[in-house]
Amino acid sequence: MKGNRTRATTTLAGMAGKAVRDLRRPSFPVDATTPPGDMTTDQPGRYPLDLRPMTAGSMLDHERVVVTRAATGETYRNPVSVSLYALAQHTGALAAGRHPAAGDERPPGVQALLTQAGWLRASQDSNGGWRYPVPVPRYGVRPGWYSAMAQGLAVSVMLRGYATTGQRSFLDASEGAVELMLRPLDAGGCSHYDHLGRPFPEECPSDPVSHILNGAVFALFGLCELSRHQSGTVHERVADRLRDSLAAFDLGYWTRYDLRHTAPASFAYHCLHVALLAAAGEVLADPRWPTVAIAWDRYTRSPTNRLRAAAGKGRFVLKERRARS
């Protein structure tokens, strides 16, 4: 009994410490140099978010491809982590005025992008996607799932690979990734469709659906960039669906990470929501997105809201741990 109390106290202390750390505001800079709603050029420039702070601790394997550590301690190549790092490196190169060049003249950031893009292209399966080898207990998902977030981010990476090298295979891979992303869940794809036929890209396809906000917006950015290249409108129905869903993520004092659980998002994810909506407003030239972002950002200025959200998130995580034990 005493051991159980000690373990419980240790768990609560650890969670309290994490809650305090969560109060430190993370950095998700919106790249204001991205032309708002510019669908006139087919060449992708800097990504709508500067992902360098998010990817500063990325691990690279012997082939200079990003790896992620699973719950088992083993590492694997996670297409989301690979893509985030690639886009961050590309942003860094362009921010320094280091534009793509041929062969050995390419700056390190551009070469890092091409290394990750090359792995994405080579490992894309015949369905156009990247299956995850790990489970997601929170959503009851077993290994072998596709992620719309991975699909959309990979599109953004490979379009930049195509713009840099001119290799058509990067563009073909991007188009295949979007096809799988927009395929309905019940057909093995990544999108949940509403009664109006509008897709919600699912970061983690599950039953019941989870509707994870940040993953859906990252997927939307990839769609927007492919639409710009093709002078198309494939992104519009997704943008409408997501924009109309934003109110459901608003708890009145904080945001939710997904629509399957009512728990507040962590402070980091709440700040990411604000940044993503601000960036979406720039990309789509739609002021309705940043209007919501401004309202959500106001929540972070209230210490009471921040502590309430941290406590709510802590209770949710503790409940999950007890359910698994």
Side-chain angles (χ1 to χ4, degrees):
M1 182 67 70
K2 182 178 179 181
N4 290 339
R5 285 199 301 268
T6 300
R7 282 192 296 272
T9 300
T10 301
T11 299
L12 289 171
M15 291 176 63
K18 184 178 185 304
V20 171
R21 291 191 296 274
D22 279 349
L23 295 180
R24 296 184 301 218
R25 185 172 191 123
S27 177
F28 302 113
V30 176
D31 193 338
T33 65
T34 302
D38 181 7
M39 308 297 279
T40 62
T41 174
D42 62 1
Q43 298 299 319
R46 286 162 63 169
Y47 195 68
L49 283 187
D50 184 344
L51 300 169
R52 286 176 290 178
M54 186 189 300
T55 60
S58 297
M59 295 186 295
L60 304 178
D61 64 15
H62 65 288
E63 294 181 333
R64 306 298 293 173
V65 176
V66 172
V67 292
T68 300
R69 194 170 301 281
T72 61
E74 298 177 338
T75 59
Y76 70 101
R77 291 175 173 178
N78 179 333
V80 164
S81 300
V82 166
S83 297
L84 291 172
Y85 175 78
L87 294 167
Q89 292 296 304
H90 185 258
T91 293
L94 297 188
R98 305 291 302 278
H99 294 283
D104 295 337
E105 298 177 7
R106 292 186 178 120
V110 174
Q111 187 55 55
L113 168 93
L114 294 177
T115 297
Q116 313 310 309
W119 175 78
L120 288 166
R121 178 180 57 185
S123 59
Q124 187 179 32
D125 66 23
S126 59
N127 288 323
W130 297 266
R131 290 190 183 274
Y132 272 80
V134 295
V136 187
R138 174 173 293 175
Y139 302 112
V141 174
R142 297 178 179 179
W145 49 283
Y146 293 117
S147 170
M149 180 178 179
Q151 302 295 121
L153 283 166
V155 168
S156 293
V157 173
M158 290 189 292
L159 285 177
R160 285 164 176 78
Y162 174 64
T164 302
T165 67
Q167 295 177 18
R168 173 76 197 195
S169 55
F170 282 125
L171 181 58
D172 292 341
S174 298
E175 292 170 348
V178 164
E179 193 282 326
L180 178 62
M181 181 206 300
L182 296 179
R183 191 182 302 170
L185 292 174
D186 57 11
C190 302
S191 286
H192 172 268
Y193 284 77
D194 64 9
H195 67 286
L196 297 176
R198 302 178 303 176
F200 190 112
E202 295 290 341
E203 177 181 337
C204 185
S206 59
D207 186 16
V209 290
S210 48
H211 289 344
I212 299 171
L213 180 57
N214 83 91
V217 179
F218 277 117
L220 173 62
F221 289 162
L223 285 172
C224 287
E225 292 185 340
L226 186 61
S227 287
R228 180 162 58 241
H229 178 83
Q230 298 176 331
S231 299
T233 59
V234 67
H235 65 289
E236 291 181 355
R237 289 186 302 152
V238 174
D240 288 345
R241 173 82 185 275
L242 296 185
R243 189 190 62 244
D244 289 351
S245 300
L246 293 178
F249 289 92
D250 194 331
L251 293 172
Y253 67 97
W254 210 253
T255 57
R256 299 161 64 172
Y257 176 78
D258 60 37
L259 295 187
R260 183 165 172 177
H261 304 97
T262 58
S266 68
F267 187 53
Y269 273 108
H270 177 79
C271 291
L272 179 57
H273 291 164
V274 172
L276 285 170
L277 266 57
E282 294 286 334
V283 170
L284 298 164
D286 184 345
R288 291 171 291 184
W289 292 80
T291 296
V292 177
I294 291 169
W296 287 0
D297 188 51
R298 291 194 187 103
Y299 294 153
T300 66
R301 301 175 193 173
S302 166
T304 300
N305 288 349
R306 292 167 67 170
L307 289 171
R308 181 181 176 185
K313 181 65 174 179
R315 287 193 298 270
F316 174 69
V317 172
L318 183 58
K319 183 178 179 180
E320 277 193 319
R321 290 181 180 177
R322 286 173 175 169
R324 294 175 195 167
S325 63

